[in-house]
Amino acid sequence: MSQITESLPELPNAVMAEKCVLSMLMNDHALFDEGTPLTLDHFYHPGHRRIFELLREEHQNGQTFELVCFVQKLSDQQKLSAIGGPAVMSELYTYEPAGNLPKFNRMRDVLRMHMARRMSLTIAEDIRQAALTECDPGALLATTSEPITRLHDLLADTKPEQDTKALLDECADQFRALCMGETDPMGVKTSLEEINRRFLGLEAKRTIVISGYPSGGKSAMIGQLAMDAALGGHHTLVCSLEMPAKTMMSRNISYVSGVPGGLIADPLGYSREHLSLASPPKHLLQRMHDGMKRIAASPYAIEDLTGADVHQIIACIRRTHRRKPLRVVGVDFIQRVRALPEMRRESQEQQYAHASHLLADLCKELGITLLL
């Protein structure tokens, strides 16, 4: 047994849980298909990693586990001595009986937690090195945000399963409250009655994809819906990847005040051509002033993120959400999201899908409405 518990670097590990999981997998290959798949990184001990790799390969090839054949295969590959010899394999095989799925899930969660702790240490060291050497803000943000997102996803996977009865009770309570008029089924109400009627406004944890041909009004719709939410008192953020923040704000002023956009863009030229005046009339200036006051009093923000990748966008949304919890976020538009280094060999469609999925996951996590 001294070989299986050989001295290892001081990193978080759960060797006994690894033995338990390997023993169960040997006795029941069907456990490979239960829940979130195990990976090599779940195992810390080098010998356990070799055993798991070969077990997984046999399962993927549809082979049934047989101890003698397995030991012989390790011997043929000159890996048997590295894991401690036949005695260690025999002990692992009998370490834990098969058929205990709840225990298997508990041990897998133990491995996942220790894997997350090891990952945290690696991330911390990478961030430390980047902080010492990196001079480019974008590269530094990528170094910090992407691994933190992976760590979050790993830890979020350890959440307990949703209890069906508790979920039914929540639905029943919500239905009772609606029947009693204690709550309103409408989400964030918009100025577009068709959206209010069909979708009950902007619901939390929902991603709304707005698509159309170029110059079809996608940016205008996102701006209008986002402004509606802000004017309704809901904290709103628009991440603009194409249109400058000032241009988007000018559109907002036009929408809220009812003043033509052409007049805001070229007040003297518009006044001469359309109003036969030398300058904008006072009543339109007053409407502009009133509209700007309404926008200034609303919980609305624009971030100009030209050239940003999806992790930078997510970091911006999280940062804003920490200051004041957001209710609606608009991203305009997904085709302008800069490709991640690991996705640059993929097609544009795959790049867009990857970015969209990450943003949609964030939408559910934060409980916001995402206009994409």
Side-chain angles (χ1 to χ4, degrees), residues 257-260 262-264 266-290:
S257 64
V259 172
L263 183 139
I264 295 174
D266 182 9
L268 299 182
Y270 186 92
S271 297
R272 287 193 296 267
E273 182 177 352
H274 296 279
L275 304 176
S276 300
L277 296 172
S279 61
K282 288 185 178 180
H283 74 279
L284 290 184
L285 293 177
Q286 184 60 50
R287 280 164 56 181
M288 273 189 64
H289 177 71
D290 294 342

Short mmCIF file of all heavy atoms in Angstrom, two decimals, residues 257-260 262-264 266-290:
data_model
loop_
_atom_site.label_atom_id
_atom_site.label_comp_id
_atom_site.label_asym_id
_atom_site.label_seq_id
_atom_site.Cartn_x
_atom_site.Cartn_y
_atom_site.Cartn_z
N SER A 257 -37.67 61.61 -26.46
CA SER A 257 -38.23 62.96 -26.60
C SER A 257 -39.21 63.09 -27.76
O SER A 257 -40.00 64.04 -27.80
CB SER A 257 -37.11 63.98 -26.78
OG SER A 257 -36.40 63.74 -28.00
N GLY A 258 -39.13 62.14 -28.72
CA GLY A 258 -39.99 62.24 -29.89
C GLY A 258 -39.49 63.26 -30.90
O GLY A 258 -40.22 63.65 -31.82
N VAL A 259 -38.25 63.68 -30.74
CA VAL A 259 -37.64 64.62 -31.68
C VAL A 259 -36.98 63.84 -32.81
O VAL A 259 -36.29 62.84 -32.55
CB VAL A 259 -36.60 65.51 -30.96
CG1 VAL A 259 -35.83 66.36 -31.95
CG2 VAL A 259 -37.28 66.38 -29.92
N PRO A 260 -37.14 64.21 -34.07
CA PRO A 260 -36.53 63.47 -35.19
C PRO A 260 -35.02 63.32 -35.02
O PRO A 260 -34.33 64.26 -34.62
CB PRO A 260 -36.87 64.32 -36.41
CG PRO A 260 -38.08 65.08 -36.02
CD PRO A 260 -37.95 65.35 -34.56
N GLY A 262 -32.83 63.13 -37.29
CA GLY A 262 -32.12 64.01 -38.22
C GLY A 262 -31.86 65.37 -37.61
O GLY A 262 -30.82 66.00 -37.86
N LEU A 263 -32.78 65.85 -36.80
CA LEU A 263 -32.60 67.16 -36.17
C LEU A 263 -31.50 67.12 -35.13
O LEU A 263 -30.74 68.07 -34.98
CB LEU A 263 -33.92 67.61 -35.54
CG LEU A 263 -33.90 69.01 -34.91
CD1 LEU A 263 -35.17 69.78 -35.22
CD2 LEU A 263 -33.70 68.91 -33.39
N ILE A 264 -31.39 65.98 -34.43
CA ILE A 264 -30.34 65.85 -33.41
C ILE A 264 -28.97 65.74 -34.08
O ILE A 264 -27.99 66.31 -33.60
CB ILE A 264 -30.63 64.63 -32.51
CG1 ILE A 264 -31.92 64.86 -31.73
CG2 ILE A 264 -29.47 64.36 -31.56
CD1 ILE A 264 -32.38 63.68 -30.92
N ASP A 266 -28.12 66.84 -37.20
CA ASP A 266 -27.77 68.05 -37.96
C ASP A 266 -28.86 69.09 -37.73
O ASP A 266 -29.75 69.28 -38.57
CB ASP A 266 -27.65 67.70 -39.44
CG ASP A 266 -27.24 68.90 -40.29
OD1 ASP A 266 -26.89 69.96 -39.71
OD2 ASP A 266 -27.29 68.80 -41.53
N PRO A 267 -28.85 69.74 -36.57
CA PRO A 267 -29.96 70.63 -36.21
C PRO A 267 -30.18 71.78 -37.20
O PRO A 267 -31.33 72.09 -37.55
CB PRO A 267 -29.57 71.15 -34.83
CG PRO A 267 -28.10 70.91 -34.71
CD PRO A 267 -27.82 69.70 -35.52
N LEU A 268 -29.11 72.41 -37.68
CA LEU A 268 -29.28 73.55 -38.58
C LEU A 268 -29.76 73.09 -39.96
O LEU A 268 -30.68 73.67 -40.54
CB LEU A 268 -27.98 74.34 -38.69
CG LEU A 268 -27.46 74.94 -37.38
CD1 LEU A 268 -26.19 75.75 -37.63
CD2 LEU A 268 -28.52 75.82 -36.73
N GLY A 269 -29.11 72.06 -40.49
CA GLY A 269 -29.50 71.55 -41.81
C GLY A 269 -30.92 71.02 -41.80
O GLY A 269 -31.69 71.27 -42.74
N TYR A 270 -31.30 70.27 -40.76
CA TYR A 270 -32.65 69.72 -40.67
C TYR A 270 -33.68 70.85 -40.57
O TYR A 270 -34.74 70.80 -41.20
CB TYR A 270 -32.76 68.78 -39.47
CG TYR A 270 -34.09 68.05 -39.38
CD1 TYR A 270 -34.24 66.79 -39.95
CD2 TYR A 270 -35.19 68.63 -38.74
CE1 TYR A 270 -35.47 66.12 -39.88
CE2 TYR A 270 -36.40 67.98 -38.66
CZ TYR A 270 -36.54 66.72 -39.24
OH TYR A 270 -37.75 66.05 -39.17
N SER A 271 -33.36 71.85 -39.77
CA SER A 271 -34.30 72.96 -39.58
C SER A 271 -34.55 73.71 -40.89
O SER A 271 -35.68 74.07 -41.22
CB SER A 271 -33.77 73.93 -38.53
OG SER A 271 -33.65 73.29 -37.27
N ARG A 272 -33.48 73.93 -41.65
CA ARG A 272 -33.64 74.64 -42.93
C ARG A 272 -34.42 73.80 -43.94
O ARG A 272 -35.31 74.31 -44.63
CB ARG A 272 -32.26 75.01 -43.49
CG ARG A 272 -31.55 76.14 -42.75
CD ARG A 272 -30.37 76.66 -43.56
NE ARG A 272 -29.35 75.61 -43.72
CZ ARG A 272 -28.32 75.45 -42.90
NH1 ARG A 272 -28.16 76.26 -41.85
NH2 ARG A 272 -27.44 74.50 -43.12
N GLU A 273 -34.08 72.51 -44.02
CA GLU A 273 -34.69 71.67 -45.07
C GLU A 273 -36.11 71.26 -44.74
O GLU A 273 -36.97 71.22 -45.62
CB GLU A 273 -33.81 70.42 -45.28
CG GLU A 273 -34.33 69.50 -46.37
CD GLU A 273 -33.41 68.31 -46.61
OE1 GLU A 273 -32.29 68.28 -46.03
OE2 GLU A 273 -33.81 67.40 -47.36
N HIS A 274 -36.38 70.92 -43.48
CA HIS A 274 -37.69 70.34 -43.14
C HIS A 274 -38.61 71.31 -42.42
O HIS A 274 -39.84 71.13 -42.44
CB HIS A 274 -37.49 69.10 -42.26
CG HIS A 274 -36.77 67.98 -42.95
ND1 HIS A 274 -37.39 67.10 -43.80
CD2 HIS A 274 -35.45 67.63 -42.91
CE1 HIS A 274 -36.50 66.23 -44.26
NE2 HIS A 274 -35.31 66.52 -43.73
N LEU A 275 -38.05 72.34 -41.79
CA LEU A 275 -38.90 73.25 -41.01
C LEU A 275 -38.89 74.67 -41.55
O LEU A 275 -39.62 75.52 -41.03
CB LEU A 275 -38.43 73.26 -39.55
CG LEU A 275 -38.36 71.90 -38.85
CD1 LEU A 275 -37.79 72.05 -37.43
CD2 LEU A 275 -39.75 71.27 -38.78
N SER A 276 -38.04 74.91 -42.56
CA SER A 276 -37.90 76.26 -43.15
C SER A 276 -37.55 77.29 -42.08
O SER A 276 -38.06 78.42 -42.08
CB SER A 276 -39.20 76.66 -43.88
OG SER A 276 -39.49 75.75 -44.91
N LEU A 277 -36.69 76.87 -41.16
CA LEU A 277 -36.24 77.75 -40.09
C LEU A 277 -34.72 77.78 -40.08
O LEU A 277 -34.06 76.86 -40.57
CB LEU A 277 -36.76 77.26 -38.73
CG LEU A 277 -38.28 77.25 -38.53
CD1 LEU A 277 -38.62 76.56 -37.21
CD2 LEU A 277 -38.83 78.68 -38.53
N ALA A 278 -34.17 78.84 -39.49
CA ALA A 278 -32.71 78.95 -39.43
C ALA A 278 -32.12 78.08 -38.33
O ALA A 278 -30.94 77.68 -38.41
CB ALA A 278 -32.31 80.42 -39.20
N SER A 279 -32.92 77.73 -37.33
CA SER A 279 -32.46 76.91 -36.20
C SER A 279 -33.64 76.16 -35.61
O SER A 279 -34.80 76.49 -35.90
CB SER A 279 -31.79 77.80 -35.13
OG SER A 279 -32.72 78.76 -34.63
N PRO A 280 -33.38 75.16 -34.78
CA PRO A 280 -34.48 74.37 -34.21
C PRO A 280 -35.42 75.23 -33.37
O PRO A 280 -34.98 76.11 -32.62
CB PRO A 280 -33.76 73.34 -33.32
CG PRO A 280 -32.38 73.27 -33.86
CD PRO A 280 -32.06 74.65 -34.36
N PRO A 281 -36.73 74.99 -33.48
CA PRO A 281 -37.70 75.78 -32.70
C PRO A 281 -37.62 75.45 -31.21
O PRO A 281 -37.17 74.37 -30.82
CB PRO A 281 -39.04 75.37 -33.29
CG PRO A 281 -38.81 74.02 -33.87
CD PRO A 281 -37.39 74.01 -34.36
N LYS A 282 -38.10 76.37 -30.39
CA LYS A 282 -37.98 76.21 -28.94
C LYS A 282 -38.75 75.00 -28.42
O LYS A 282 -38.31 74.34 -27.48
CB LYS A 282 -38.47 77.48 -28.25
CG LYS A 282 -37.54 78.67 -28.40
CD LYS A 282 -38.03 79.86 -27.60
CE LYS A 282 -37.07 81.03 -27.71
NZ LYS A 282 -37.54 82.21 -26.93
N HIS A 283 -39.93 74.69 -29.02
CA HIS A 283 -40.71 73.58 -28.48
C HIS A 283 -39.99 72.24 -28.67
O HIS A 283 -40.09 71.36 -27.83
CB HIS A 283 -42.11 73.56 -29.10
CG HIS A 283 -42.16 73.08 -30.52
ND1 HIS A 283 -41.84 73.90 -31.60
CD2 HIS A 283 -42.47 71.85 -31.04
CE1 HIS A 283 -41.98 73.22 -32.72
NE2 HIS A 283 -42.35 71.97 -32.41
N LEU A 284 -39.23 72.08 -29.78
CA LEU A 284 -38.46 70.86 -29.98
C LEU A 284 -37.25 70.81 -29.04
O LEU A 284 -36.88 69.75 -28.53
CB LEU A 284 -38.01 70.73 -31.43
CG LEU A 284 -39.11 70.45 -32.45
CD1 LEU A 284 -38.51 70.25 -33.84
CD2 LEU A 284 -39.92 69.20 -32.06
N LEU A 285 -36.63 71.96 -28.82
CA LEU A 285 -35.51 72.02 -27.88
C LEU A 285 -35.99 71.66 -26.46
O LEU A 285 -35.28 70.98 -25.71
CB LEU A 285 -34.88 73.41 -27.89
CG LEU A 285 -34.17 73.81 -29.19
CD1 LEU A 285 -33.66 75.25 -29.08
CD2 LEU A 285 -33.02 72.86 -29.49
N GLN A 286 -37.18 72.13 -26.12
CA GLN A 286 -37.72 71.81 -24.79
C GLN A 286 -38.01 70.32 -24.67
O GLN A 286 -37.74 69.71 -23.63
CB GLN A 286 -39.00 72.62 -24.55
CG GLN A 286 -39.59 72.44 -23.15
CD GLN A 286 -38.64 72.87 -22.06
OE1 GLN A 286 -38.08 73.97 -22.12
NE2 GLN A 286 -38.43 72.02 -21.06
N ARG A 287 -38.56 69.73 -25.75
CA ARG A 287 -38.82 68.29 -25.73
C ARG A 287 -37.52 67.50 -25.60
O ARG A 287 -37.45 66.50 -24.87
CB ARG A 287 -39.58 67.87 -26.99
CG ARG A 287 -41.07 68.18 -26.90
CD ARG A 287 -41.77 68.14 -28.24
NE ARG A 287 -41.60 66.87 -28.93
CZ ARG A 287 -42.11 66.63 -30.14
NH1 ARG A 287 -42.81 67.56 -30.77
NH2 ARG A 287 -41.92 65.45 -30.71
N MET A 288 -36.48 67.95 -26.29
CA MET A 288 -35.17 67.31 -26.16
C MET A 288 -34.66 67.41 -24.72
O MET A 288 -34.19 66.43 -24.13
CB MET A 288 -34.14 67.97 -27.09
CG MET A 288 -34.09 67.42 -28.49
SD MET A 288 -32.68 68.10 -29.40
CE MET A 288 -31.30 67.48 -28.45
N HIS A 289 -34.80 68.59 -24.16
CA HIS A 289 -34.34 68.81 -22.78
C HIS A 289 -35.10 67.90 -21.81
O HIS A 289 -34.48 67.26 -20.93
CB HIS A 289 -34.56 70.28 -22.41
CG HIS A 289 -34.19 70.60 -21.00
ND1 HIS A 289 -32.89 70.64 -20.55
CD2 HIS A 289 -34.98 70.86 -19.91
CE1 HIS A 289 -32.87 70.93 -19.26
NE2 HIS A 289 -34.13 71.06 -18.85
N ASP A 290 -36.40 67.81 -21.97
CA ASP A 290 -37.21 66.96 -21.09
C ASP A 290 -36.84 65.48 -21.25
O ASP A 290 -36.76 64.73 -20.27
CB ASP A 290 -38.70 67.16 -21.38
CG ASP A 290 -39.19 68.56 -21.01
OD1 ASP A 290 -38.47 69.24 -20.24
OD2 ASP A 290 -40.26 68.96 -21.51
#
